Amino acid sequence: MKVKYSINIPSHWKNIKCPFFRSDNYNSISCEGCLEKTSLRHTFKSRFIKDDWQEKYCMKISKCRECPIYRIADNKYSDES
């Protein structure tokens, strides 16, 4: 007997362009951490501030590289070479 699983992925995640984005909830964003096998959670004072940040950085490939969290995570891979 095969069991089918269904994952409910929030619809706005399809707009996420940042490769280091992992998840979000009401007022926080989780990103890949600066250490191997870790993540960072950034909690904002409100959902509106979180949504603004996400639209500014996470949803635009041209802007995600300007995000300080992106630079920290990306640096992890730069140091490996």
Side-chain angles (χ1 to χ4, degrees):
M1 174 180 189
K2 277 191 168 182
V3 178
K4 291 186 178 182
Y5 294 97
S6 156
I7 300 173
N8 293 323
I9 297 173
S11 62
H12 69 278
W13 283 15
K14 69 181 181 206
N15 298 321
I16 300 296
K17 306 298 184 207
C18 181
F20 301 117
F21 173 86
R22 294 297 170 256
S23 65
D24 69 347
N25 65 25
Y26 185 78
N27 70 331
S28 71
I29 299 171
S30 292
C31 306
E32 182 174 328
C34 57
L35 302 174
E36 191 174 330
K37 299 180 183 179
T38 65
S39 64
L40 296 171
R41 173 179 271 174
H42 310 282
T43 304
F44 298 84
K45 288 188 177 189
S46 74
R47 178 181 183 178
F48 302 107
I49 296 170
K50 189 262 314 188
D51 289 347
D52 284 346
W53 181 276
Q54 213 166 25
E55 287 178 22
K56 182 177 182 179
Y57 294 110
C58 306
M59 294 183 179
K60 295 179 181 161
I61 195 68
S62 62
K63 290 289 192 178
C64 70
R65 290 182 178 93
E66 296 175 17
C67 173
I69 291 83
Y70 178 100
R71 290 193 303 253
I72 290 168
D74 190 50
N75 193 45
K76 173 173 63 176
Y77 297 102
S78 300
D79 288 346
E80 289 179 357
S81 31

